[in-house]
């Protein structure tokens, strides 16, 4: 069967009800081929009219940009091929809020060393896309595979900050921060956990707010006392271009091999977040109270072995979230939640 994505949109006023999601078309690559992993990762811009889709296992490995051109109709605006061959490019993708900047990671990219991992940034002018720059860590190591995890790449809403997680680094993992000034990107900082241990998987997931001043990094195999591989999430905040660790967040009720922090998403305003754990099959909603994050609600999966919490996303003001359950039934499922007050 050819690869495709089924697209849904929220209905407007009138019938159907405004809070019902309805079918809005299928997205397919222009050069259909099988076993290319089209849709391995996707990213949507702020108004929902531009989407980036990765295809990391095609000959050349690339990502695509599709634009919404009317009900049930999505058209290809560009195929984003990196300037140099980069295997597994597009396994992770990210897009700015205005839809004019796209990042695509390749964990097998040469970068600073053989398969150290890299990111290609593309920008749009009108309807034309061009590569702006290849990003890689200046201290990247051979076969470090930065960007291996699908959720290890994040871009700020303003499109000026990129974070790339490197969970296999021998220290226990690290993450690279890149920032754009004008049209030039610079690797400005490498961050890791204050209590890092070998095998923690720091960098398994990353997310940030609109301007990149708050960054969360997951370490899905971190070991809180007595709970091996339970996982943890680290919060970093920026002050004059330097990010420092501010908080370590643990699961509400840690358990061994929970893998808390394997996926996460932060609202653009930096006030809300959702964190998933597909092993324990829980999702956690969090609130930022004057710089201190706390879990406000735990949502357990309703179907055993459904991988509930394997993927999560939250909208810009933290009022809606979607939680994936890829093992639900024979097809998988996604659950949408609406915030009522703080729950």
């Amino acid at each position: 069967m050819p690869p495709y994505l089924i697209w849904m949109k929220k209905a407007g006023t009138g019938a159907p009800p405004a809070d019902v999601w309805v079918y809005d078309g299928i997205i397919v690559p222009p050069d259909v081929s099988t076993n290319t992993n089209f849709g391995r990762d996707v990213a949507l811009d702020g108004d929902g009219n531009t989407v980036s889709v990765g295809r990391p296992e095609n000959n050349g490995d690339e990502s695509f940009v599709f634009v919404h051109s009317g009900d049930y109709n999505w058209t290809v605006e560009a195929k984003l091929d990196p300037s140099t061959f980069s295997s597994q490019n597009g396994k992770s993708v990210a897009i700015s809020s205005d839809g004019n900047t796209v990042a695509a990671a390749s964990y097998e990219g040469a970068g600073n060393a053989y398969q150290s991992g890299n990111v290609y940034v593309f920008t749009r002018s009108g309807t034309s896309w061009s590569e702006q720059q290849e990003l890689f860590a200046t201290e990247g190591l051979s076969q470090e595979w930065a960007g291996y995890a699908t959720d290890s790449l994040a871009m700020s809403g303003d499109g000026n900050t990129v974070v790339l997680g490197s969970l296999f680094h021998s220290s226990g993992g690290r993450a690279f921060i890149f920032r754009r000034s004008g049209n030039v990107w610079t690797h400005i900082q490498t961050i890791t956990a204050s209590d890092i241990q070998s095998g923690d998987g720091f960098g398994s997931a990353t997310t940030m707010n609109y301007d990149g001043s708050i960054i969360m990094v997951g370490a899905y195999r971190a070991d809180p006392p007595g709970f091996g591989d339970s996982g943890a999430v680290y919060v970093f905040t920026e002050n004059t271009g330097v990010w420092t660790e501010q908080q370590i967040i643990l699961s509400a009720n840690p358990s061994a091999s929970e893998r808390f922090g394997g996926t996460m998403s932060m609202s653009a305003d930096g006030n809300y977040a959702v964190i998933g754990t597909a092993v324990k099959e829980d999702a956690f909603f969090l609130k930022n109270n004057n710089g201190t994050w706390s879990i406000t609600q735990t949502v357990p999966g309703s179907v055993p072995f459904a991988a509930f919490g394997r993927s999560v996303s939250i909208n810009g003001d933290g009022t809606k979230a979607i939680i994936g359950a890829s093992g639900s039934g024979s097809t998988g499922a996604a659950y949408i939640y609406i915030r009522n007050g703080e729950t």
Side-chain angles (χ1 to χ4, degrees), residues 227-249:
F227 302 104
D229 287 356
S230 177
V233 170
Y234 297 80
V235 182
F236 297 81
T237 57
E238 179 194 8
N239 183 13
T240 61
V242 177
W243 285 261
T244 55
E245 183 185 305
Q246 295 297 313
Q247 187 177 350
I248 303 173
I249 304 170

Side-chain angles (χ1 to χ4, degrees), residues 53-67:
V53 182
R55 186 170 68 174
E57 294 183 15
N58 191 54
N59 183 22
D61 302 0
E62 66 267 301
S63 56
F64 293 87
V65 175
F66 295 84
V67 292

Side-chain angles (χ1 to χ4, degrees), residues 250-267:
L250 303 179
S251 171
N253 295 291
S255 59
S257 300
E258 183 174 355
R259 306 293 173 88
F260 177 82
T263 182
M264 66 186 79
S265 179
M266 186 190 303
S267 61

Side-chain angles (χ1 to χ4, degrees), residues 135-191:
L135 312 182
F136 55 86
T138 52
E139 71 264 35
L141 302 177
S142 178
Q143 294 189 311
E144 184 170 347
W145 297 319
Y148 179 87
T150 300
D151 288 337
S152 60
L153 173 69
M155 173 179 282
S156 60
D158 63 13
N160 291 323
T161 305
V162 163
V163 177
L164 183 67
S166 180
L167 76 163
F168 292 129
H169 186 260
S170 59
S171 67
R174 55 186 183 174
F176 308 117
I177 302 175
F178 304 88
R179 180 151 278 183
R180 178 170 59 181
S181 177
N183 295 319
V184 177
W185 289 86
T186 305
H187 170 216
I188 59 173
Q189 190 174 345
T190 299
I191 56 176

Side-chain angles (χ1 to χ4, degrees), residues 35-107:
N35 302 318
T36 60
N37 230 345
F38 176 80
R40 182 65 177 83
D41 196 22
V42 297
L44 187 67
D45 75 342
D47 65 10
N49 288 321
T50 303
V51 62
S52 177
V53 182
R55 186 170 68 174
E57 294 183 15
N58 191 54
N59 183 22
D61 302 0
E62 66 267 301
S63 56
F64 293 87
V65 175
F66 295 84
V67 292
H68 194 222
S69 52
D71 286 349
Y72 316 115
N73 191 19
W74 290 81
T75 57
V76 179
E77 187 169 72
K79 181 169 76 168
L80 306 180
D81 288 307
S83 55
T84 57
F85 177 80
S86 194
S87 180
Q88 292 293 322
N89 182 261
K91 184 179 180 182
S92 301
V93 295
I95 193 169
S96 61
S97 181
D98 64 8
N100 291 327
T101 304
V102 165
S106 168
Y107 71 89

Side-chain angles (χ1 to χ4, degrees), residues 9-36:
K9 71 172 182 178
K10 181 183 174 186
T13 57
D19 280 324
V20 172
W21 292 78
V22 297
Y23 169 82
D24 194 38
I26 294 177
I27 294 176
V28 296
D31 50 349
V32 176
S33 56
T34 58
N35 302 318
T36 60

Side-chain angles (χ1 to χ4, degrees), residues 111-132:
N112 190 59
Y114 176 69
Q115 293 187 352
S116 60
N118 60 6
V119 177
Y120 289 91
V121 177
F122 302 86
T123 57
R124 176 169 59 182
S125 177
T127 58
S128 297
W129 287 83
S130 59
E131 182 182 312
Q132 186 170 63

